[in-house]
Amino acid sequence: MMRTRPLKVALLGCGVVGSEVARIMTTHAADLTARIGAPVELAGIAVRRPGRVRAGVPEELITTDATALVKRGDIDVVVEVIGGIEPARALITTAFEHGASVVSANKALLAGDGAALHAKAEEYGADLYYEAAVAGAIPLVRPLRESLAGDKVNRVLGIVNGTTNFILDKMDSSGAGYSEALDEATALGYAEADPTADVEGFDAAAKAAILAGIAFHTRVRLDDVYREGMTEVTAADFASAKRMGCTIKLLAICERAADGRSVTARVHPAMIPLSHPLASVREAYNAVFVEAEAAGRLMFYGPGAGGSPTASAVLGDLVAVCRNKLAESTGPGESAYTRLPVSPMGDVVTRYHISLDVADKPGVLAQVATVFAEHDVSIDTVRQTGKDGEASLVVVTHRAPDAALSATVGALRNLDTVRGVASIMRVEGE
């Protein structure tokens, strides 16, 4: 039986994503009704600047009083797409307290306060869904929370930021420098006027925290994620990667330790072999590998940002939450029963690609090799070129704890024959 009373939705934010959510809810109203089993009505839209022109958005629904909107007793679902920590956190909490479930795209808030928000949702018998917070339109959160709920996930590896992937792809394909590639990304609308959150890895780190928490059934906060940006990646790094049969990507890597007693989460640029599927992810697309014990390797690929892709994920959550409302039930909440600690980056076992500027004279290579041996780091390959008393030495290591590799680099900087460490990059995906 179709319920006649509509489920009422409050929309917080009407920017690029919010306006697309409003448009789809309006133009696809009949389809949404059929899929949910009841009509869905957009009851109000909270914005900061009411005078802005919003094509296709009913003006009578616009309000600047977001708190009053979420406090209405007739609101069934609140969709939060304003971003940031406050007032988003207070508004979501208020929504739970007044009987509404929440659909959010707010990765920063969920990465920092996800546990508290889940607890509040459970306290009031509400849903908290956030597929759109990670990788845009790509279905990833729900497969981890539901489809793989009976499996054991050991690793999540992926490209989760479209802006940085676009920049690195342009550097790889055209030989452009970082600044030139960033300018192109900005001109095309892929990069914000202030790209810090993207290029310094903050955006990807928030997503890594969310993914690690879901995948490993433990609490991982943004502060637990090791983070390096990609602003120091150079054309020379790409040239060196190509000589190794690799390319460079900014990766989010979440792993369960081999002994199963801890997890790690990290974001940093890395060289990956051209044979790896992530190497072929171009422009602003995202792709995530999930490695599970029974299911094996799964890859999720698609647009990771933008109004329409993100709105698609929001609407998918909205349908699921509305169905739960009709069934007078809730979906899966937080699963953190393993209580696994998050190990520091120094415990991660990885490989390094190190480029050194050294004096071109006998004995230099032996000195460098001795430093590696003293820190129990095995060398895989060495390439040396020299001219007019100067030389470049490129060393690729075997796998070793990151702390040992970092200590090795520190010791190399102290050698009289080493004039500088030109670049350091991890090698992954093998």
Side-chain angles (χ1 to χ4, degrees), residues 17 104-108 110 130-144 156-163 198 203-211 214 252 278 281 284-290 299-314 317:
V17 176
S104 176
N106 196 330
K107 53 188 167 288
L110 290 160
Y130 43 90
E131 184 67 66
V134 181
I138 304 173
L140 187 57
V141 171
R142 196 168 301 145
L144 284 173
V156 180
L157 165 74
I159 299 163
V160 295
N161 183 276
T163 300
D198 294 321
D203 175 84
K207 295 170 181 176
I210 294 170
L211 291 174
I214 298 171
L278 289 179
V281 177
Y285 276 76
N286 286 189
V288 178
F289 256 87
V290 176
M299 183 171 175
F300 300 83
Y301 171 85
S308 294
T310 306
S312 172
V314 169
D317 278 350

Side-chain angles (χ1 to χ4, degrees), residues 257-268:
D259 62 8
R261 296 179 181 177
S262 65
V263 299
T264 58
R266 51 194 167 109
V267 168
H268 53 74

Side-chain angles (χ1 to χ4, degrees), residues 9 77 89 110 329 381 383-384:
V9 177
V77 184
R89 175 168 49 195
L110 290 160
S329 66
T381 62
R383 186 179 72 254
Q384 182 174 2

Side-chain angles (χ1 to χ4, degrees), residues 171-342:
M171 292 177 70
D172 185 23
S173 60
S174 68
Y178 166 77
S179 296
E180 183 182 350
L182 174 60
D183 289 343
E184 183 175 354
T186 304
L188 292 172
Y190 291 122
E192 302 285 348
D194 180 2
T196 302
D198 294 321
V199 300
E200 293 294 350
F202 291 102
D203 175 84
K207 295 170 181 176
I210 294 170
L211 291 174
I214 298 171
F216 307 134
H217 302 277
T218 194
R219 288 179 178 170
V220 180
R221 292 172 51 86
L222 178 58
D223 293 344
D224 296 322
V225 181
Y226 175 84
R227 176 194 55 81
E228 282 183 19
M230 40 76 71
T231 58
E232 301 301 318
V233 178
T234 66
D237 291 326
F238 273 100
S240 190
K242 287 182 178 179
R243 283 192 287 269
M244 290 177 57
C246 293
T247 188
I248 300 170
K249 299 291 185 182
L250 185 76
L251 299 180
I253 306 173
C254 311
E255 294 176 303
R256 189 190 301 267
D259 62 8
R261 296 179 181 177
S262 65
V263 299
T264 58
R266 51 194 167 109
V267 168
H268 53 74
M271 295 182 178
I272 58 172
L274 294 175
S275 57
H276 195 284
L278 289 179
S280 61
V281 177
R282 309 298 300 274
E283 300 201 334
Y285 276 76
N286 286 189
V288 178
F289 256 87
V290 176
E291 298 178 10
E293 200 166 86
R297 291 186 173 184
L298 308 172
M299 183 171 175
F300 300 83
Y301 171 85
S308 294
T310 306
S312 172
V314 169
L315 267 295
D317 278 350
L318 179 62
V319 168
V321 169
C322 286
R323 286 171 175 169
N324 291 343
K325 281 281 185 181
L326 291 181
E328 298 183 348
S329 66
T330 57
E334 183 189 32
S335 175
Y337 72 92
T338 63
R339 295 184 175 87
L340 295 173
V342 181

Side-chain angles (χ1 to χ4, degrees), residues 25 65 112 118 129 184 197 201 224 275 290 305 354 360:
M25 286 188 66
D65 195 342
H118 273 294
Y129 275 50
E184 183 175 354
D224 296 322
S275 57
V290 176
I354 305 167
D360 188 12

Side-chain angles (χ1 to χ4, degrees), residues 99-180:
S101 289
V102 172
V103 172
S104 176
N106 196 330
K107 53 188 167 288
L109 179 58
L110 290 160
D113 292 305
L117 293 176
H118 273 294
K120 184 65 70 171
E122 184 177 2
E123 178 183 351
Y124 288 93
D127 272 324
L128 174 61
Y129 275 50
Y130 43 90
E131 184 67 66
V134 181
I138 304 173
L140 187 57
V141 171
R142 196 168 301 145
L144 284 173
R145 286 213 300 185
E146 300 178 30
S147 302
L148 295 172
D151 206 340
K152 180 182 180 182
V153 176
N154 291 317
R155 195 170 194 240
V156 180
L157 165 74
I159 299 163
V160 295
N161 183 276
T163 300
T164 54
N165 198 59
F166 180 89
I167 293 170
L168 292 173
D169 181 46
K170 289 302 173 183
M171 292 177 70
D172 185 23
S173 60
S174 68
Y178 166 77
S179 296
E180 183 182 350

